[in-house]
Amino acid sequence: MAILSIVSFIMSLIPMTSVSSPNDGEQLQVGQTIEQSGEYQNPIIRVSLPDPSVIKAHDGHFYLYATENIRNLPIYRSDNLVDWDYVGTAFDDVSRPKWNPNGRIWAPDINFFGGQYVLYYSKSVWGGEWTCGIGVATAVSPEGPFTDRGALFISEDIGVRNSIDPFYIEDGGKKYVFWGSFHGIYGIELTDDGLAVKPGSTPVPIAGNQMEGTYIHKRGDYYYLIGSNGSCCEGASSTYQVVYGRSKDLFGPYMTKEGQPMLEGHYNVLLHGNEKVAGPGHNAEFITDDKGQTWMLYHGYLKIDPDAGRQVFMDKVEWIDGWPVVAGSEPSSNSNSPSIE
């Protein structure tokens, strides 16, 4: 009895651990899940959606577009960046781009300007480095349907080998598209409507042959050139990783932390694989949540199930001394959710 009394006394000093439901205040035992836990687990979309691009639309939803592992270019929708629903495709078999007829639609880049949603995309066959190119399509709704406006340019016409992976940016009142894949990263000015190359414009190189999947993020006084290198598509053996540098001018020179020029092939690594995830890379545009936190969505392979393809992951990007940092430089298993009101 004395022993039982001592145990009871000790147990009385330990507070009961429970979790309050965000909906009705009921008590849940530890280990019991609730729908809104404030945390998420990677991958956030367990479907193969390579090369994601994300936008927050005027209806308040986030929309994600990806390379057409789902034919005609899949579109997903979310209210919180964590829970995503499939809503359809940007094209159908009738409306899909007709140029480069044997090509597939890769690496979309979604934008909104001029009162419409503008989708830049690549069209290529594997190994078709001189026949591939960049196209553009438009829609009044983020869910489409998108109307193809044709090719901006083809590799052999623009003189840039492997012209894929477009990224649009507006700077100083002018519109530009940047692109490239392991044969230089280039930028060129577009017409005012963003649907064609401005007459007389020529490609300007901003990085060497070390990367693809261009994204440029403007923060403070700097432009951050972000891309991916390594092997993208070899399942659990993929070596893809996210790399970066920065410049005070959109067209460079972009430099590493050590002051080495990206135009000569140098880079720093923002994110690489680990024991669970292979080939993390080709990130979407950074998203800023309602607390001012920065988030990066990207694709990667789960090593335990590489046949599931390149699924969608998300991680927080911190800014330290003017440079982007992902914790551990590797994908997280779980994390606190973005703050989306």
Side-chain angles (χ1 to χ4, degrees):
M1 292 295 292
I3 293 175
L4 289 175
S5 297
I6 293 171
V7 171
S8 297
F9 174 74
I10 293 172
M11 291 299 293
S12 70
L13 298 177
I14 302 175
M16 292 294 291
T17 304
S18 61
V19 180
S20 295
S21 165
N23 299 317
D24 56 17
E26 71 178 284
Q27 298 297 300
L28 303 175
Q29 297 301 311
V30 169
Q32 185 177 351
T33 60
I34 57 177
E35 187 172 353
Q36 300 177 8
S37 65
E39 290 192 354
Y40 69 90
Q41 291 187 336
N42 272 320
I44 56 172
I45 309 179
R46 293 178 177 267
V47 176
S48 186
L49 298 169
D51 316 322
S53 178
V54 178
I55 192 171
K56 187 171 186 180
H58 284 72
D59 62 8
H61 299 296
F62 295 95
Y63 289 85
L64 181 147
Y65 306 73
T67 284
E68 64 166 342
N69 281 19
I70 298 172
R71 182 171 170 81
N72 292 321
L73 205 147
I75 305 173
Y76 278 68
R77 181 178 60 211
S78 175
D79 293 327
N80 57 14
L81 294 176
V82 174
D83 304 302
W84 293 86
D85 297 313
Y86 175 68
V87 298
T89 57
F91 307 103
D92 58 29
D93 283 343
V94 174
S95 65
R96 69 182 280 119
K98 302 298 191 295
W99 62 277
N100 195 359
N102 295 323
R104 296 179 63 240
I105 306 169
W106 296 348
D109 175 53
I110 186 64
N111 305 272
F112 182 85
F113 58 84
Q116 61 184 347
Y117 291 89
V118 182
L119 183 75
Y120 297 94
Y121 62 88
S122 318
K123 199 151 188 248
S124 183
V125 296
W126 194 262
E129 295 186 346
W130 286 109
T131 57
C132 61
I134 305 296
V136 60
T138 60
V140 297
S141 166
E143 297 183 18
F146 281 81
T147 300
D148 186 46
R149 303 299 180 185
L152 290 178
F153 48 80
I154 307 296
S155 293
E156 60 186 356
D157 295 333
I158 201 75
V160 176
R161 183 178 177 183
N162 214 18
S163 286
I164 60 172
D165 296 358
F167 170 72
Y168 167 87
I169 189 171
E170 186 169 339
D171 188 65
K174 296 181 179 181
K175 297 177 172 65
Y176 303 93
V177 68
F178 290 81
W179 78 97
S181 174
F182 300 116
H183 294 282
I185 301 300
Y186 293 82
I188 199 167
E189 187 175 351
L190 302 177
T191 53
D192 290 342
D193 63 6
L195 303 182
V197 172
K198 184 177 179 179
S201 296
T202 56
V204 178
I206 63 167
N209 299 337
Q210 76 270 43
M211 57 180 270
E212 62 177 7
T214 300
Y215 167 56
I216 299 174
H217 181 73
K218 181 68 163 62
R219 180 184 172 90
D221 294 332
Y222 288 97
Y223 298 85
Y224 294 84
L225 174 59
I226 298 167
S228 297
N229 66 17
S231 60
C232 69
C233 313
E234 297 179 356
S237 299
S238 297
T239 61
Y240 223 38
Q241 60 182 3
V242 179
V243 300
Y244 68 99
R246 74 180 187 186
S247 171
K248 287 192 173 182
D249 185 85
L250 177 62
F251 278 86
Y254 286 92
M255 312 296 284
T256 66
K257 286 183 177 181
E258 298 77 25
Q260 297 176 307
M262 294 188 76
L263 198 55
E264 295 180 7
H266 301 285
Y267 58 87
N268 294 118
V269 176
L270 179 61
L271 181 75
H272 55 69
N274 59 16
E275 70 282 358
K276 294 182 179 180
V277 181
H282 206 126
N283 58 282
E285 300 84 347
F286 287 178
I287 298 292
T288 302
D289 71 12
D290 292 326
K291 288 186 177 179
Q293 301 174 116
T294 303
W295 298 88
M296 179 175 69
L297 282 74
Y298 56 93
H299 73 232
Y301 289 97
L302 283 176
K303 289 186 176 180
I304 61 170
D305 188 19
D307 290 341
R310 289 172 283 172
Q311 302 178 62
V312 181
F313 294 72
M314 178 171 65
D315 273 298
K316 185 177 178 181
V317 178
E318 303 280 4
W319 296 92
I320 300 176
D321 297 328
W323 295 94
V325 176
V326 172
S329 300
E330 62 181 19
S332 65
S333 296
N334 60 279
S335 182
N336 291 328
S337 297
S339 177
I340 305 296
E341 298 177 358

